[in-house]
């Protein structure tokens, strides 16, 4: 910032600083998510006092143009969403047998190419990796423990890791005995065990709509039926729809994201969470809560696990470190409520135990307080990427595009303009080395034909902006 302020002008100096920053934003020199110079640096550059710059920043903050992030400085904020948020989908009449696996596999084979701009994959740690810190810890563990670190772990998990998990639950106001925690191979295995605990083939499982496709695949492979309950883009499941579905169908269990959902990025409020748990427990229906994105919130506070509101032990909590530390470690966990004994037997039968060295490394990562510091930074980066991506979409996509404004997580959910077919866009994008996920995979009943999911959980660069421009032109050609 080498501009010179006019000290002779009648305009206050702080106002001139404001004008300068707005001008730089308008001419695209400063972009959403960019960090502004520190007070000291800008005061030196412009040869004005620190209080003058401070006053300018405070005013820009008041105008909602910049935001102060604790211990990080001031950043240019994303502007209010000018595109609409996707509307609520209709309630399905009946549960259905799921048949999506081939299609999901087909999509994954197509996007599994390292040359792609990876907008299809939701692996938020790619935006800011913990790999180096984890690798260092792992080397230390191996040096210290040798062979022991790579032998079998106790069946339900490495005790120091379970203790750390119990302490984290304690922080949320939940008293969990560490013996209740079962460490699993990712959240996917935790959800599979939970489903096997509470339902059998042919049973009806209520799921969110749109729903993370891994859960749809799981229900299919277990021979269960899926009943789609519409999800509100802001605060999770539509309560009235859930109530109605329970009255009409013999719902055996539910699988819901209780903090941040994928792909909508909605954030279930505490009151709604409590209401949902009470409703389900009053009908003796177990709820499997998928909390994998719980720590990636952009709201002031983390959402509490729904487990906190369970009175009858009917909430089974599933989570993992896949979105918050290392997806390849495949470490997740399950808190199975009153189904603990059954869950332990299923875990043993399925996979005996989960990788000891990975659990050990994660336990040390948490104990050394690096994990919490890492999460703070990861959230900041994701929030900043989200603002940048939304700003770019608003700038280049036609006005009838609809897009969510997620309250956490790492993905956006877009309704394409001109009712563009998402599958067609998917194939066009693949040709251009861009991966996206078409909406159909998020529903067992093939809805969301003109929706896509794109990820901002990647290191931000020019290629992403170019990819968004290309996607938008593909949508404009009819
Ligand atoms: C909503 C949701 N639940 C569960 C999972 C599975 O998590 P894991 O990789 O820990 O098995 C994912 C992974 O993408 C997810 O997005």
């Amino acid at each position: 910032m080498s501009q010179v302020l006019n000290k002779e002008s009648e305009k206050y100096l702080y106002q001139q600083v404001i004008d300068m920053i707005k001008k730089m934003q308008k001419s695209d020199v400063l972009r959403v998510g960019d960090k502004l110079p520190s007070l000291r640096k800008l005061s030196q550059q412009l040869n004005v006092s620190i209080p003058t710059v401070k006053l300018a920043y405070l005013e820009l903050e008041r105008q909602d143009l910049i935001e102060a992030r604790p211990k990080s400085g001031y950043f240019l904020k994303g502007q209010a969403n000018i595109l609409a948020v996707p509307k609520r989908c209709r309630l399905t009449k009946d549960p259905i047998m799921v048949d999506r696996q081939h299609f999901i596999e087909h999509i994954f084979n197509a996007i599994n190419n390292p040359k792609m701009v990876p907008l299809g994959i939701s692996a938020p740690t790619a935006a800011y990796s913990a790999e180096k810190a984890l690798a260092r810890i792992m080397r230390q563990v191996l040096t210290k423990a040798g062979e022991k670190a790579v032998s079998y772990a106790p069946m339900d998990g490495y005790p120091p890791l379970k203790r750390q998990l119990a302490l984290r639950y304690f922080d949320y106001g939940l008293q969990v005995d560490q013996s209740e925690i079962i460490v699993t191979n990712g959240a996917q295995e935790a959800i599979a065990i939970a489903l096997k605990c509470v339902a059998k083939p042919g049973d009806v499982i209520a799921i969110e709509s749109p729903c993370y496709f891994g859960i749809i695949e799981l229900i299919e492979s277990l021979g269960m039926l899926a009943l789609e309950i519409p999800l509100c883009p802001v605060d999770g499941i539509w309560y009235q729809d859930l109530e109605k579905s329970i009255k009409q169908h013999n719902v055996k269990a539910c699988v819901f994201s209780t903090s941040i959902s994928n792909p909508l990025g909605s954030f279930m409020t505490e009151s709604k969470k409590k209401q949902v748990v009470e409703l389900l427990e009053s009908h003796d229906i177990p709820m499997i809560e998928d909390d994998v994105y719980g720590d990636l919130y952009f709201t002031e506070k983390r959402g509490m696990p729904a487990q906190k509101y369970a009175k009858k032990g009917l909430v089974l909590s599933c989570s993992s470190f896949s979105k918050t530390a290392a997806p390849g470690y495949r470490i997740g966990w399950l808190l199975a409520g009153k189904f603990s004994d059954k869950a332990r037997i299923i875990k043993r039968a399925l996979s005996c135990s989960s990788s000891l060295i990975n659990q050990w490394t994660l336990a040390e990562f948490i104990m050394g307080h690096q994990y919490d510091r890492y999460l703070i930074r990861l959230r900041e980066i994701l929030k900043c990427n989200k603002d940048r991506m939304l700003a770019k979409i608003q700038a280049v996509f036609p006005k009838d595009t609809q897009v969510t404004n997620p309250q956490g997580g790492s993905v956006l959910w877009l309704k394409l303009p001109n009712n563009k077919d998402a599958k067609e866009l998917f194939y066009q994008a693949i040709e251009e080395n861009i991966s996206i996920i078409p909406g159909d995979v998020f529903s067992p009943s093939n809805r969301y034909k003109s929706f896509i999911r794109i990820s901002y959980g990647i290191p931000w660069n020019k290629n992403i902006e170019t990819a968004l421009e290309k996607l938008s032109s593909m949508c404009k050609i009819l």
Side-chain angles (χ1 to χ4, degrees), residues 176-208:
V176 171
D177 191 321
Q178 72 181 66
S179 65
E180 294 169 46
I181 298 170
I182 302 171
V183 175
T184 58
N185 294 317
Q188 192 72 8
E189 190 185 50
I191 301 169
I193 296 173
L195 273 169
K196 279 172 160 289
C197 280
V198 298
K200 54 181 190 324
D203 282 344
V204 175
I205 311 296
I207 58 168
E208 300 165 340

Side-chain angles (χ1 to χ4, degrees), residues 122 185-191 208 212-215 257 260-263 290-293 319-323 327 330-332 453:
S122 171
N185 294 317
Q188 192 72 8
E189 190 185 50
I191 301 169
E208 300 165 340
Y212 162 58
F213 46 81
I215 291 170
S257 338
I260 290 146
S261 62
N262 168 10
D290 180 354
D291 196 26
V292 281
Y293 287 98
S319 193
S320 75
F321 292 104
S322 302
K323 310 294 171 188
R330 308 305 303 134
I331 299 298
R453 188 193 80 174

Side-chain angles (χ1 to χ4, degrees), residues 217-232:
E217 270 205 288
L218 205 48
I219 290 180
E220 179 173 350
S221 69
L222 293 172
M224 296 168 185
L225 304 181
L227 179 68
E228 291 175 83
I229 315 282
L231 200 62
C232 161

Side-chain angles (χ1 to χ4, degrees), residues 376-419:
I376 292 172
R377 187 75 190 117
L378 178 62
R379 281 194 292 267
E380 272 176 11
I381 290 175
L382 290 173
K383 162 94 172 41
C384 178
N385 284 2
K386 178 199 81 164
D387 289 345
R388 283 172 162 155
M389 197 173 257
L390 276 177
K392 187 70 191 174
I393 288 171
Q394 286 177 44
V396 300
F397 271 72
K399 294 288 169 269
D400 61 331
T401 310
Q402 296 173 5
V403 64
T404 48
N405 185 0
Q407 303 186 60
S410 60
V411 293
L412 295 180
W413 180 243
L414 255 91
K415 165 123 180 23
L416 299 172
N418 307 318
N419 280 326

